[in-house]
């Protein structure tokens, strides 16, 4: 009796160890293969597009019928709309984040604001697009414009900015706030001069996230900004059509008549991925360097 | 006859109170500015709901709700506006995406949170964050140029567009989001729970499946629902691979259509005050409604007071 119990236990333990090992291998294989797949696909995009890229392509006008056109105005519009939307959404989004982290009392109003932030973050971008369309094309009556696209895009940015700012501010330790208040600073001075600088890393990462998302957004732009541009470079007019590079990629791939449409699409996709990578890196790079420096400074003290 | 020194002192005090007043006015102004920005988010959400629903509900003047929700004939030129194909399509596509995405995302999250050495974590987490930022149109383009020819070759269908292609593209898009949030949820499980498990002689698998995952369940559910909202609302990536035909596509390989893709394909070609347009807005309102309901579910999942 006793031996069989010991036996069965040993069996159970052996099988537990065996399944555990299987599980490790299984999870490892899934992770590695998924990563290889995704990186392989991104590499394909960059590999197909980048070698054919030339400066000309980035700055010349598109051509509707003949091969050899560029994406100049679309690329320009992409940045123009992105920057406008950030200018519009940064103060409001960060303000809302500060309110939620620093001022919000624990009551129903705060609950309401939090629910709106989360709901707004989950609103499908096409719904934002339709909203922009109703607002700017039907009620204001200015048609498909850069400013319409930028304002609608700003709405998409707002909830993410608010949430990221709130999280970054909440991570700031309480004692530096108290130190600032004890020196006689008002709450607003404390927030602006002590808390925000301390939370800057988190906020910057959030901004890069928002910028990437806004840069690649296409559904909103199609509905509020249109699929084409004014047709010449460096057009800062807020009321000209606001087609951006992602929209152009879609247009070229689905409707264009140009013979070299595939090549244009490949190159545009490569540019998009490259710019998103650059945006992410430029924001994170200083943070990495900073982390590295503090690490190097910290090591000799330890040893 | 006030002494000059006295005079100076009074003046000094006056300027000082003035400075104090300005300081506190600034303080209050900042507070109200923050309050106003927070409020403006609520206003934005409210006006979106009002604008979209107002335009959308006009459709029921010409089309009965029974026809809109349950009829599968979408023939705008013959005044037939049955959106059942698109509604069922959106739900089906979301379901398919989740079925494919959740196990993979969970496996990667477990790997990153519980098994990977620190250096690998520090490589994989930023990489996942980076993948979240890749534009959806790029995923659509990938699906169109790589996935669809591949599907055509392996299954022998003529077109290749359909739910299978769309669900695969969406899975790839949603995966980083779901993984990162699940990863955070798993990391948030207190270490001493794990240690208690190991102390009782559990293997890592037992600790993960019986202690860590149940403890992280609300967070993981939140991740899945957030993935769902993204899958439901995704437009451009889906448009490029779904085929855009108003018919059911249950067998995964028939060209079909969902709410988002139908809206974006047709909205630019219709008159604003036509039933067709109202029907499209009603479909957008449905999308909005579904995502709001999902968010309310997430809020219920969370313990109170957070």
């Amino acid at each position: 009796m006793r031996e069989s119990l010991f036996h069965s236990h040993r069996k159970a333990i052996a099988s537990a160890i065996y399944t555990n090992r299987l599980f490790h291998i299984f999870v490892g294989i899934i992770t590695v293969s998924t990563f290889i797949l995704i990186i392989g696909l991104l590499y394909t995009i960059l590999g197909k597009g980048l070698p054919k890229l030339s400066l000309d392509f980035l700055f010349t006008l598109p051509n509707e019928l003949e091969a050899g056109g560029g994406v100049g105005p679309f690329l320009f519009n992409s940045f123009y709309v992105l920057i406008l939307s950030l200018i519009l959404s940064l103060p409001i989004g960060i303000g809302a984040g500060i309110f939620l982290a620093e001022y919000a009392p624990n009551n129903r109003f705060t609950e309401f604001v939090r629910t709106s932030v989360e709901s707004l973050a989950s609103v499908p971008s096409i719904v934002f697009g339709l909203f922009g369309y109703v607002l700017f094309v039907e009620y204001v009556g200015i048609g498909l414009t850069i400013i319409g696209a930028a304002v609608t895009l700003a709405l998409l940015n707002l909830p993410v900015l608010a949430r990221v700012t709130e999280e970054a501010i909440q991570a700031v330790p309480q004692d530096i706030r108290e130190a600032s208040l004890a020196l006689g600073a008002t709450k607003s001075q404390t927030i602006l001069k002590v808390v925000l600088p301390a939370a800057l890393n988190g906020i910057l990462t959030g901004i890069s996230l928002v910028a990437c998302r806004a840069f690649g957004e296409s559904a909103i732009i199609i509905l509020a900004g249109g699929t084409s541009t004014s047709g010449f470079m460096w057009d800062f007019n807020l009321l000209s059509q606001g087609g951006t590079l992602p929209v152009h990629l879609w247009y070229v791939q689905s409707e264009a008549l140009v013979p070299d449409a595939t090549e244009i699409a490949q190159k545009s996709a490569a540019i998009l991925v490259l710019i998103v990578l650059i945006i992410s890196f430029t924001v994170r790079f200083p943070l990495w360097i900073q982390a590295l420096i503090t690490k190097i400074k910290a090591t000799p003290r330890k040893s | 006859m006030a002494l000059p020194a006295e005079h100076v002192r009074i003046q000094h005090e006056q300027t000082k109170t003035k400075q104090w007043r300005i300081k506190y006015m600034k303080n209050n102004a900042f507070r109200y500015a923050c309050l106003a920005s927070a409020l403006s988010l609520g206003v934005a959400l409210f006006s979106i709901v009002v604008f979209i629903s107002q335009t959308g509900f006009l459709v029921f003047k010409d089309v009965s709700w029974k026809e809109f929700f349950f009829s599968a004939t979408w023939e705008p030129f013959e005044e037939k506006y049955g959106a059942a194909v698109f509604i069922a399509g959106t739900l089906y596509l979301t379901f398919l995406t989740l079925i494919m995405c959740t196990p993979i995302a969970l496996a990667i999250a477990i790997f990153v949170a519980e098994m990977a050495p620190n250096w690998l974590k520090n490589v994989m987490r930023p990489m996942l964050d980076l993948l979240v930022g890749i534009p959806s149109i790029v995923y659509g383009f990938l699906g169109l140029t790589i996935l669809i020819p591949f599907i055509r070759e392996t299954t022998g269908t003529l077109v290749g567009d359909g739910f299978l292609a769309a669900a695969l593209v969406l899975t790839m898009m949603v995966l980083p989001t779901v993984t990162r949030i699940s990863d955070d949820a798993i990391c948030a499980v207190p270490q001493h729970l794990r240690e208690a498990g190991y102390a009782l002689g559990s293997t890592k698998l037992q600790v993960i499946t019986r202690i860590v995952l149940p403890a992280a369940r609300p967070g993981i559910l939140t991740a899945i629902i957030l993935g769902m909202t993204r899958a439901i609302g995704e437009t451009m990536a889906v448009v490029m691979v779904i085929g855009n035909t108003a018919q059911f596509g249950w067998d995964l390989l028939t060209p079909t259509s969902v709410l988002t893709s139908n809206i974006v394909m047709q909205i630019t070609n219709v008159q604003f005050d036509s039933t067709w347009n109202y029907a499209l807005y009603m479909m957008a309102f449905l999308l909005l409604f579904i995502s709001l309901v999902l968010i309310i579910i997430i809020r219920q999942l969370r313990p109170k007071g957070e």
Side-chain angles (χ1 to χ4, degrees):
Chain A
M1 194 66 196
R2 215 173 162 183
E3 201 173 298
S4 77
L5 194 67
F6 171 74
H7 242 77
S8 70
H9 267 222
R10 207 169 63 170
K11 247 186 192 166
I13 289 169
S15 85
I17 291 173
Y18 184 67
T19 37
N20 183 42
R21 196 168 294 156
L22 266 185
F23 174 72
H24 270 74
I25 295 170
F26 176 70
V27 168
I29 286 177
I30 288 188
T31 310
V32 170
S33 50
T34 313
F35 266 76
I36 288 177
L37 182 75
I38 293 178
I39 292 167
L41 288 175
L42 290 183
Y43 180 76
T44 326
I45 293 184
L46 291 176
K48 270 188 186 164
L50 284 187
K52 296 178 200 154
L53 265 188
S54 61
L55 268 184
D56 248 19
F57 182 72
L58 296 181
F59 294 108
T60 48
L61 301 176
N63 198 323
E64 276 292 322
L65 297 172
E66 283 166 45
V71 291
F74 292 103
L75 190 59
F76 169 75
N77 266 0
S78 286
F79 282 106
Y80 193 35
V81 170
L82 172 67
I83 288 167
L84 282 176
S85 82
L86 281 181
I87 290 173
L88 288 168
S89 58
L90 278 181
I92 300 179
I94 291 179
I98 292 174
F99 175 80
L100 284 175
E102 293 281 336
Y103 290 109
N106 206 349
N107 60 14
R108 301 192 75 151
F109 174 72
T110 311
E111 199 65 10
F112 163 75
V113 172
R114 263 179 229 282
T115 316
S116 337
V117 171
E118 281 179 37
S119 313
L120 211 55
S122 80
V123 169
S125 59
I126 178 111
V127 176
F128 280 115
L130 283 179
F131 175 68
Y133 189 79
V134 181
L135 194 64
F136 288 97
V137 180
E138 290 306 320
Y139 284 80
V140 183
I142 48 175
L144 300 167
T145 55
I146 287 182
I147 184 72
V151 172
T152 319
L153 206 54
L155 287 178
L156 180 82
N157 299 344
L158 277 179
V160 187
L161 280 173
R163 211 184 52 221
V164 172
T165 311
E166 187 194 351
E167 273 168 18
I169 287 180
Q170 270 169 353
V172 174
Q174 192 60 31
D175 43 1
I176 70 166
R177 283 191 194 94
E178 278 156 12
S180 163
L181 291 171
L183 288 173
T186 60
K187 189 153 186 174
S188 65
Q189 284 171 331
T190 306
I191 293 172
L192 286 173
K193 295 188 182 159
V194 178
V195 177
L196 277 190
L200 197 64
N201 280 3
I203 297 177
L204 277 181
T205 319
I207 293 175
S208 89
L209 201 85
V210 167
C212 287
R213 209 175 144 203
F215 185 80
E217 182 53 51
S218 35
I220 287 181
I221 310 287
I222 287 182
L223 292 178
T227 49
S228 57
T229 62
S230 60
F232 50 93
M233 273 309 277
W234 316 115
D235 178 20
F236 285 94
N237 186 357
L238 289 176
L239 295 179
S240 48
Q241 274 217 24
T244 60
L245 194 58
V247 174
H248 188 59
L249 171 57
W250 171 72
Y251 177 79
V252 159
Q253 190 63 47
S254 59
E255 293 179 26
L257 306 167
V258 221
D260 60 343
T262 334
E263 197 175 305
I264 293 179
Q266 281 172 353
K267 285 195 263 187
S268 307
I271 298 172
L272 280 176
V273 173
L274 193 68
I275 289 175
V276 165
L277 291 181
I278 291 173
I279 293 178
S280 310
F281 273 114
T282 40
V283 172
R284 266 168 221 173
F285 201 64
L287 302 184
W288 283 345
I289 298 286
Q290 209 180 354
L292 207 67
I293 289 172
T294 44
K295 208 174 168 186
I296 292 166
K297 271 185 187 167
T299 14
R301 225 176 285 158
K302 260 182 195 170
S303 56
Chain B
M1 195 184 93
L3 289 163
E6 181 79 349
H7 186 70
V8 167
R9 196 180 65 81
I10 290 171
Q11 210 174 29
H12 181 69
E13 240 161 48
Q14 272 172 349
T15 48
K16 214 169 175 188
T17 28
K18 216 173 172 183
Q19 276 171 355
W20 277 98
R21 200 170 291 152
I22 289 172
K23 196 170 161 186
Y24 280 96
M25 255 165 64
K26 271 189 192 160
N27 187 30
N28 271 335
F30 183 72
R31 189 199 152 105
Y32 285 117
C34 288
L35 179 71
S37 356
L39 210 56
S40 66
L41 262 84
V43 172
L45 179 69
F46 183 72
S47 47
I48 287 175
V49 173
V50 167
F51 270 74
I52 300 285
S53 63
Q54 215 179 24
T55 322
F57 276 104
L58 287 175
V59 75
F60 294 124
K61 279 204 297 192
D62 302 317
V63 185
S64 74
W65 63 271
K66 254 187 198 163
E67 187 193 343
F68 185 81
F69 285 106
F70 296 112
S71 157
T73 27
W74 176 265
E75 299 277 354
F77 294 110
E78 290 158 31
E79 305 274 308
K80 289 208 168 95
Y81 302 98
V85 171
F86 312 118
I87 298 170
T90 291
L91 297 178
Y92 190 49
L93 179 59
T94 312
F95 172 74
L96 282 177
T97 308
L98 284 186
I99 292 272
M100 290 198 257
C101 172
T102 311
I104 304 177
L106 262 186
I108 300 179
I110 289 172
F111 182 83
V112 174
E114 297 280 326
M115 297 173 183
N118 270 330
W119 65 267
L120 198 59
K121 278 183 197 175
N122 290 339
V123 174
M124 287 177 104
R125 286 203 177 121
M127 216 140 105
L128 285 169
D129 288 341
L130 218 67
L131 287 176
V132 177
I134 300 288
S136 58
I137 196 95
V138 172
Y139 284 112
F141 177 69
L142 272 177
L144 192 65
T145 51
I146 298 176
L147 188 63
I148 287 188
F150 179 72
I151 289 178
R152 254 183 240 156
E153 262 173 45
T154 44
T155 62
T157 45
L158 287 173
V159 202
D161 294 24
F163 278 135
L164 180 65
L168 283 172
V169 167
L170 277 183
T171 301
M172 221 162 72
M173 279 189 58
V174 174
L175 197 68
T177 317
V178 181
T179 309
R180 276 299 273 136
I181 302 172
S182 311
D183 171 21
D184 287 343
I186 292 173
C187 282
V189 174
Q191 193 58 33
H192 58 75
L193 291 183
R194 291 189 189 92
E195 277 156 11
Y198 289 130
L200 290 172
S202 311
T203 60
K204 195 152 203 168
L205 172 65
Q206 287 165 334
V207 168
I208 289 171
T209 52
R210 298 192 195 164
I211 297 172
V212 176
L213 287 185
R217 210 180 65 169
I220 293 174
L221 276 179
T222 306
I224 294 172
I225 296 176
L226 280 178
M228 254 170 100
T229 61
R230 250 197 115 179
I232 287 175
E234 181 47 49
T235 314
M236 297 318 289
V238 175
V239 163
M240 294 180 92
V241 294
I242 197 137
N244 303 309
T245 321
Q247 61 184 11
F248 286 114
W250 303 119
D251 65 344
L252 304 182
L253 294 169
T254 319
T256 172
S257 199
V258 293
L259 289 170
T260 49
S261 67
N262 192 57
I263 295 173
V264 85
M265 288 308 289
Q266 305 193 336
I267 196 77
T268 42
N269 307 326
V270 297
Q271 283 284 318
F272 185 74
D273 33 5
S274 65
T275 314
W276 190 352
N277 185 57
Y278 298 149
L280 294 178
Y281 272 85
M282 189 60 214
M283 284 155 66
F285 179 72
L286 280 181
L287 285 172
L288 189 60
F289 180 74
I290 296 173
S291 55
L292 292 186
V293 168
L294 288 176
I295 285 303
I296 291 170
I297 295 176
I298 291 185
R299 291 194 68 83
Q300 293 299 321
L301 280 174
R302 215 168 302 164
K304 281 279 171 221
E306 239 182 83

